Amino acid sequence: MRAMGRRWALWATWVAAPAMALTLDDVAREGELRLLAKRPDPGAYRYEADVHIDAASLEQGVVTMRTCHRQLDPTHRIVVAFNPQRVRRIDIASVEGVGRAWVEGRRVELADVQRGAQVCIDLVSQALEPDGPDRWRLHAGPLMRRYLDGYLPMEATLHVRWPPGLLQVTGTSPAPQPGVELSVRPDGGTLHIIFAGRLSATWGLQRPTQRH
């Protein structure tokens, strides 16, 4: 999505002018995705999501989540847009450093955003889909930090939680590598990604195999 005037767009992400100097080499071009072992602008915009899955989610594909956009750049207007095919409900949980925040259709609009501001948003989303017997895929994104015709570096931390023993992780896309860290637990997992570009992440999940 392109910014129009002083109105900025974020697809479940966001973007505005960078808070510190970056070189052209730090900006990903359209259609390019770079995974970064180290962030060139530490302390700048980051995205966090905390997704909760239960037994009903496996039947209906619906999950609840809280997404937070932190360390926003100063600007007159930001639009945080969500996938209209997936999102069922949107509620603003908290805001800091924002003059006004409101829900408009399948997006959250922020006005008079100060440097370092943040917003947390609660969602109900059809983000889980079957992928075979007792297997599912969980979708996140697309995530991006758009600036003019390119994408600035950002980091995303994706937490997934479920009752212990309900599921196990079979893999993620992107897979663990420099710039992508994965940790798993009996009750969920965490995927941490540093990147520049437009990123769609997925989790492969299945019921735990029974041991005899």
PDB file of all heavy atoms in Angstrom, residues 51-69:
ATOM      1  N   VAL A  51      -0.516 -15.178  20.027  1.00  0.00           N
ATOM      2  CA  VAL A  51      -1.649 -15.916  19.485  1.00  0.00           C
ATOM      3  C   VAL A  51      -2.026 -17.054  20.431  1.00  0.00           C
ATOM      4  O   VAL A  51      -1.153 -17.786  20.907  1.00  0.00           O
ATOM      5  CB  VAL A  51      -1.304 -16.495  18.092  1.00  0.00           C
ATOM      6  CG1 VAL A  51      -2.499 -17.248  17.511  1.00  0.00           C
ATOM      7  CG2 VAL A  51      -0.859 -15.385  17.149  1.00  0.00           C
ATOM      8  N   HIS A  52      -3.319 -17.221  20.677  1.00  0.00           N
ATOM      9  CA  HIS A  52      -3.811 -18.282  21.553  1.00  0.00           C
ATOM     10  C   HIS A  52      -4.674 -19.253  20.745  1.00  0.00           C
ATOM     11  O   HIS A  52      -5.628 -18.846  20.076  1.00  0.00           O
ATOM     12  CB  HIS A  52      -4.605 -17.697  22.715  1.00  0.00           C
ATOM     13  CG  HIS A  52      -3.766 -16.919  23.681  1.00  0.00           C
ATOM     14  ND1 HIS A  52      -3.303 -17.453  24.865  1.00  0.00           N
ATOM     15  CD2 HIS A  52      -3.276 -15.660  23.614  1.00  0.00           C
ATOM     16  CE1 HIS A  52      -2.577 -16.547  25.500  1.00  0.00           C
ATOM     17  NE2 HIS A  52      -2.542 -15.455  24.752  1.00  0.00           N
ATOM     18  N   ILE A  53      -4.333 -20.538  20.827  1.00  0.00           N
ATOM     19  CA  ILE A  53      -5.055 -21.607  20.147  1.00  0.00           C
ATOM     20  C   ILE A  53      -5.613 -22.550  21.204  1.00  0.00           C
ATOM     21  O   ILE A  53      -4.915 -22.896  22.172  1.00  0.00           O
ATOM     22  CB  ILE A  53      -4.114 -22.386  19.202  1.00  0.00           C
ATOM     23  CG1 ILE A  53      -3.525 -21.447  18.129  1.00  0.00           C
ATOM     24  CG2 ILE A  53      -4.827 -23.556  18.546  1.00  0.00           C
ATOM     25  CD1 ILE A  53      -2.473 -22.108  17.265  1.00  0.00           C
ATOM     26  N   ASP A  54      -6.866 -22.972  21.026  1.00  0.00           N
ATOM     27  CA  ASP A  54      -7.431 -23.984  21.914  1.00  0.00           C
ATOM     28  C   ASP A  54      -8.086 -25.077  21.071  1.00  0.00           C
ATOM     29  O   ASP A  54      -7.989 -25.062  19.833  1.00  0.00           O
ATOM     30  CB  ASP A  54      -8.413 -23.363  22.912  1.00  0.00           C
ATOM     31  CG  ASP A  54      -9.569 -22.633  22.252  1.00  0.00           C
ATOM     32  OD1 ASP A  54      -9.843 -22.892  21.057  1.00  0.00           O
ATOM     33  OD2 ASP A  54     -10.212 -21.811  22.925  1.00  0.00           O
ATOM     34  N   ALA A  55      -8.745 -26.016  21.723  1.00  0.00           N
ATOM     35  CA  ALA A  55      -9.343 -27.140  21.002  1.00  0.00           C
ATOM     36  C   ALA A  55     -10.394 -26.659  20.010  1.00  0.00           C
ATOM     37  O   ALA A  55     -10.515 -27.208  18.900  1.00  0.00           O
ATOM     38  CB  ALA A  55      -9.957 -28.131  21.991  1.00  0.00           C
ATOM     39  N   ALA A  56     -11.159 -25.618  20.355  1.00  0.00           N
ATOM     40  CA  ALA A  56     -12.162 -25.082  19.434  1.00  0.00           C
ATOM     41  C   ALA A  56     -11.509 -24.483  18.191  1.00  0.00           C
ATOM     42  O   ALA A  56     -12.077 -24.540  17.089  1.00  0.00           O
ATOM     43  CB  ALA A  56     -13.018 -24.037  20.146  1.00  0.00           C
ATOM     44  N   SER A  57     -10.313 -23.910  18.348  1.00  0.00           N
ATOM     45  CA  SER A  57      -9.601 -23.343  17.197  1.00  0.00           C
ATOM     46  C   SER A  57      -9.327 -24.415  16.146  1.00  0.00           C
ATOM     47  O   SER A  57      -9.382 -24.144  14.935  1.00  0.00           O
ATOM     48  CB  SER A  57      -8.281 -22.718  17.643  1.00  0.00           C
ATOM     49  OG  SER A  57      -8.470 -21.715  18.605  1.00  0.00           O
ATOM     50  N   LEU A  58      -9.006 -25.630  16.590  1.00  0.00           N
ATOM     51  CA  LEU A  58      -8.697 -26.701  15.652  1.00  0.00           C
ATOM     52  C   LEU A  58      -9.926 -27.102  14.843  1.00  0.00           C
ATOM     53  O   LEU A  58      -9.810 -27.556  13.703  1.00  0.00           O
ATOM     54  CB  LEU A  58      -8.144 -27.913  16.405  1.00  0.00           C
ATOM     55  CG  LEU A  58      -6.917 -27.654  17.291  1.00  0.00           C
ATOM     56  CD1 LEU A  58      -6.413 -28.971  17.870  1.00  0.00           C
ATOM     57  CD2 LEU A  58      -5.821 -26.930  16.522  1.00  0.00           C
ATOM     58  N   GLU A  59     -11.114 -26.917  15.413  1.00  0.00           N
ATOM     59  CA  GLU A  59     -12.349 -27.239  14.709  1.00  0.00           C
ATOM     60  C   GLU A  59     -12.803 -26.101  13.795  1.00  0.00           C
ATOM     61  O   GLU A  59     -13.286 -26.333  12.692  1.00  0.00           O
ATOM     62  CB  GLU A  59     -13.456 -27.560  15.722  1.00  0.00           C
ATOM     63  CG  GLU A  59     -13.173 -28.765  16.600  1.00  0.00           C
ATOM     64  CD  GLU A  59     -13.138 -30.063  15.818  1.00  0.00           C
ATOM     65  OE1 GLU A  59     -13.854 -30.162  14.802  1.00  0.00           O
ATOM     66  OE2 GLU A  59     -12.396 -30.984  16.221  1.00  0.00           O
ATOM     67  N   GLN A  60     -12.648 -24.866  14.260  1.00  0.00           N
ATOM     68  CA  GLN A  60     -13.208 -23.715  13.564  1.00  0.00           C
ATOM     69  C   GLN A  60     -12.180 -22.881  12.808  1.00  0.00           C
ATOM     70  O   GLN A  60     -12.542 -22.056  11.971  1.00  0.00           O
ATOM     71  CB  GLN A  60     -13.930 -22.824  14.573  1.00  0.00           C
ATOM     72  CG  GLN A  60     -15.021 -23.547  15.342  1.00  0.00           C
ATOM     73  CD  GLN A  60     -15.528 -22.736  16.523  1.00  0.00           C
ATOM     74  OE1 GLN A  60     -15.172 -21.562  16.706  1.00  0.00           O
ATOM     75  NE2 GLN A  60     -16.355 -23.357  17.357  1.00  0.00           N
ATOM     76  N   GLY A  61     -10.890 -23.037  13.143  1.00  0.00           N
ATOM     77  CA  GLY A  61      -9.853 -22.245  12.501  1.00  0.00           C
ATOM     78  C   GLY A  61      -9.703 -20.842  13.064  1.00  0.00           C
ATOM     79  O   GLY A  61      -8.938 -20.035  12.536  1.00  0.00           O
ATOM     80  N   VAL A  62     -10.440 -20.527  14.133  1.00  0.00           N
ATOM     81  CA  VAL A  62     -10.448 -19.179  14.687  1.00  0.00           C
ATOM     82  C   VAL A  62      -9.524 -19.107  15.904  1.00  0.00           C
ATOM     83  O   VAL A  62      -9.598 -19.948  16.803  1.00  0.00           O
ATOM     84  CB  VAL A  62     -11.876 -18.758  15.087  1.00  0.00           C
ATOM     85  CG1 VAL A  62     -11.867 -17.384  15.741  1.00  0.00           C
ATOM     86  CG2 VAL A  62     -12.776 -18.742  13.853  1.00  0.00           C
ATOM     87  N   VAL A  63      -8.665 -18.100  15.937  1.00  0.00           N
ATOM     88  CA  VAL A  63      -7.749 -17.885  17.052  1.00  0.00           C
ATOM     89  C   VAL A  63      -7.955 -16.477  17.604  1.00  0.00           C
ATOM     90  O   VAL A  63      -8.474 -15.598  16.913  1.00  0.00           O
ATOM     91  CB  VAL A  63      -6.279 -18.069  16.637  1.00  0.00           C
ATOM     92  CG1 VAL A  63      -6.052 -19.449  16.041  1.00  0.00           C
ATOM     93  CG2 VAL A  63      -5.857 -16.988  15.629  1.00  0.00           C
ATOM     94  N   THR A  64      -7.543 -16.267  18.850  1.00  0.00           N
ATOM     95  CA  THR A  64      -7.516 -14.927  19.421  1.00  0.00           C
ATOM     96  C   THR A  64      -6.064 -14.491  19.539  1.00  0.00           C
ATOM     97  O   THR A  64      -5.165 -15.321  19.731  1.00  0.00           O
ATOM     98  CB  THR A  64      -8.180 -14.891  20.807  1.00  0.00           C
ATOM     99  OG1 THR A  64      -7.495 -15.788  21.693  1.00  0.00           O
ATOM    100  CG2 THR A  64      -9.645 -15.294  20.711  1.00  0.00           C
ATOM    101  N   MET A  65      -5.835 -13.210  19.398  1.00  0.00           N
ATOM    102  CA  MET A  65      -4.458 -12.719  19.466  1.00  0.00           C
ATOM    103  C   MET A  65      -4.422 -11.268  19.896  1.00  0.00           C
ATOM    104  O   MET A  65      -5.414 -10.536  19.755  1.00  0.00           O
ATOM    105  CB  MET A  65      -3.757 -12.877  18.114  1.00  0.00           C
ATOM    106  CG  MET A  65      -4.290 -11.990  17.012  1.00  0.00           C
ATOM    107  SD  MET A  65      -3.356 -12.208  15.464  1.00  0.00           S
ATOM    108  CE  MET A  65      -4.035 -13.754  14.901  1.00  0.00           C
ATOM    109  N   ARG A  66      -3.274 -10.868  20.429  1.00  0.00           N
ATOM    110  CA  ARG A  66      -2.974  -9.471  20.680  1.00  0.00           C
ATOM    111  C   ARG A  66      -1.743  -9.105  19.864  1.00  0.00           C
ATOM    112  O   ARG A  66      -0.717  -9.775  19.940  1.00  0.00           O
ATOM    113  CB  ARG A  66      -2.733  -9.193  22.160  1.00  0.00           C
ATOM    114  CG  ARG A  66      -2.262  -7.755  22.434  1.00  0.00           C
ATOM    115  CD  ARG A  66      -2.379  -7.373  23.880  1.00  0.00           C
ATOM    116  NE  ARG A  66      -3.786  -7.273  24.263  1.00  0.00           N
ATOM    117  CZ  ARG A  66      -4.200  -6.868  25.474  1.00  0.00           C
ATOM    118  NH1 ARG A  66      -3.303  -6.541  26.400  1.00  0.00           N
ATOM    119  NH2 ARG A  66      -5.479  -6.795  25.753  1.00  0.00           N
ATOM    120  N   THR A  67      -1.850  -8.059  19.061  1.00  0.00           N
ATOM    121  CA  THR A  67      -0.725  -7.568  18.283  1.00  0.00           C
ATOM    122  C   THR A  67      -0.344  -6.185  18.801  1.00  0.00           C
ATOM    123  O   THR A  67      -1.216  -5.365  19.106  1.00  0.00           O
ATOM    124  CB  THR A  67      -1.067  -7.478  16.784  1.00  0.00           C
ATOM    125  OG1 THR A  67      -2.115  -6.511  16.589  1.00  0.00           O
ATOM    126  CG2 THR A  67      -1.540  -8.824  16.258  1.00  0.00           C
ATOM    127  N   CYS A  68       0.955  -5.938  18.910  1.00  0.00           N
ATOM    128  CA  CYS A  68       1.440  -4.647  19.397  1.00  0.00           C
ATOM    129  C   CYS A  68       2.441  -4.063  18.412  1.00  0.00           C
ATOM    130  O   CYS A  68       3.349  -4.770  17.942  1.00  0.00           O
ATOM    131  CB  CYS A  68       2.097  -4.794  20.768  1.00  0.00           C
ATOM    132  SG  CYS A  68       0.941  -5.220  22.100  1.00  0.00           S
ATOM    133  N   HIS A  69       2.262  -2.804  18.107  1.00  0.00           N
ATOM    134  CA  HIS A  69       3.185  -2.043  17.262  1.00  0.00           C
ATOM    135  C   HIS A  69       3.912  -1.074  18.175  1.00  0.00           C
ATOM    136  O   HIS A  69       3.291  -0.170  18.755  1.00  0.00           O
ATOM    137  CB  HIS A  69       2.420  -1.298  16.165  1.00  0.00           C
ATOM    138  CG  HIS A  69       1.597  -2.196  15.302  1.00  0.00           C
ATOM    139  ND1 HIS A  69       2.053  -2.703  14.114  1.00  0.00           N
ATOM    140  CD2 HIS A  69       0.345  -2.697  15.470  1.00  0.00           C
ATOM    141  CE1 HIS A  69       1.117  -3.475  13.572  1.00  0.00           C
ATOM    142  NE2 HIS A  69       0.071  -3.487  14.375  1.00  0.00           N
TER     143      HIS A  69
END
